[in-house]
Each structure stands twice: as C-alpha cells, then as structure tokens.
Amino acid sequence: MKKVILLLTGFISMIGMSQEQTKFTPQISISGEGKILVTPDIAVIQLGVQNNGKDPKEVKQLNDVTIDKVIAYIKKFGIPVTDYQTTQLSLYKNYDYEKKKHSYQANQTISVTLKDISKYNAFMMDVMETGINVINGVEFKSSKMELFESQARKKAILNAKKKAEDYVSVLPGQKVGKAISISDNSQTNYPQPVFMAKGMMADSEATQPKETLAIGEIEIVSNVSVSFVLE
C-alpha cells in the first residue's frame, strides 16, 4: 500500500511540474518590413547560342564557332576572365513524330558580369555581331548587396518593434519585452532591362533620346515576423 501511495504522489507531482512548464506566456506577434533603395552598379548578362540540325557534331561545331567569337569579343572588351564563365552546355536529341525523323539541338550559355555599368549599351550592341541568338536575361545588381541587405533586416526588426509598441501602448500595465522568435521572409527583386536589337535602335533614333538604358533602382526588402513577450 505504501508503494502505491508513493507512486501516486510522484505522478501528481509530475503533473504539477508539466502544468508549470506549459504555462502560457503572454506575447504579441508582429510583422515588420525594411526597405532600402539602391542604385545598381553591376550588370550580369546571360548570353546564349542555339543551333538545330540533323547532325549532332555539326550543331555542336556551329555553337563552338559562335562561342569562340563571343569569348574573343569579351576579352577584347577588357573583361577579366574571373567575370565570365559557361553556365549551361547541352545537346538534345529530338524526334519529330510527324516526319518520323530525329534532329539535334545544341545550347550554350555564358554569364558575363559587367562591373562598369556605363559600358552596358556598347557591350550589348556589338556582342550581337558575334552570332549570339539568345539573351537569357540581364540582372542589375549592387557590389554592396550584403551591406544593404543587413541594413534592410535591421530596419525590419525596428519596424516590427515599433508596431508592437504602438499596439501595447493602449493596454494599461503592459509593455513589450524581449523577442522570443524571429522568422525571415525576405526576397530581393532585381530590375530587368528591356533590350532592343541594333536595327530597332537605328529605326527609332530620330524620335528617341540617345540614352537607351534606364536601370532604375533595386528595392531591397526585408520581411520578418517577430514574437515579443508582453511584460
């Protein structure tokens, strides 16, 4: 009987400890946002070449000829070897079910980082003469992205705390305490320029200003969710 009583007493004590540990902590959960507007100083350009044909060696060789011209052009432009590299290389075998014939498609992409953004227009106009037939995309970035992202995160946390203090300010006898959880939902969108081919540029020269590049600004946005203890 004594053993049963001791076991029961121990079980009741454990329940009491569990209830104490799961005691609700008053808290407030708030979202915060921090924004930094940055003028880009770097352009990352994805240049590609694609050829199709019946012979895999032939389409690969056609690609190689163009890429060789592209690399020569990049070197002539004075871009360091550390600022360009092949990012995609593929050779596909396709089948035409109507004609019941095979064909091949060769693709190659070179990523070029242009650190002097003022040379963007000159680079893009003349690179087309190398035989490039695909521009997979252009991103404008900043050389100080990590610094600006850090600033945006700090602004987001301060914004969340300010909002929490605004809510709690009307509640008698309460104030915002320490943060007990922080989650980050940040995403940076880079401006995408619209590229006009050389012929289109010439056709519109009479009516359009000579400035053809509007890089705008990068909006670095940090979004956080923060839970604060209510004291």
Side-chain angles (χ1 to χ4, degrees), residues 69-164:
K69 291 179 181 179
V70 174
I71 292 175
Y73 172 77
I74 292 172
K75 290 180 178 179
K76 184 179 178 181
F77 207 81
I79 297 174
V81 294
T82 53
D83 291 343
Y84 63 90
Q85 68 178 107
T86 298
T87 54
Q88 181 187 9
L89 181 63
S90 61
L91 180 62
Y92 294 102
K93 183 178 181 181
N94 299 314
Y95 184 74
D96 188 329
Y97 287 93
E98 292 183 0
K99 297 180 180 180
K100 296 182 179 180
K101 292 182 178 180
H102 286 98
S103 64
Y104 295 86
Q105 182 182 95
N107 296 278
Q108 189 164 344
T109 302
I110 292 182
S111 176
V112 181
T113 300
L114 198 60
K115 291 182 178 177
D116 185 352
I117 206 167
S118 66
K119 296 180 179 179
Y120 172 82
N121 273 337
F123 180 85
M124 293 298 284
M125 290 299 100
D126 293 334
V127 76
M128 302 302 293
E129 303 300 326
T130 63
I132 287 292
N133 54 18
V134 179
I135 298 178
N136 289 327
V138 180
E139 287 184 346
F140 289 145
K141 297 184 177 183
S142 170
S143 57
K144 299 179 180 179
M145 284 300 297
E146 290 186 6
L147 172 64
F148 294 129
E149 287 171 347
S150 176
Q151 292 177 359
R153 286 191 288 267
K154 291 175 182 178
K155 289 184 69 173
I157 292 293
L158 290 173
N159 177 248
K161 186 177 180 181
K162 179 63 172 62
K163 288 166 69 175

Side-chain angles (χ1 to χ4, degrees), residues 33-58:
E33 183 176 81
K35 290 184 181 180
I36 300 287
L37 294 177
V38 180
T39 300
D41 59 2
I42 293 175
V44 181
I45 309 161
Q46 305 293 335
L47 303 173
V49 58
Q50 176 180 303
N51 282 290
N52 300 278
K54 298 178 181 179
D55 189 329
K57 291 182 179 179
E58 181 181 348

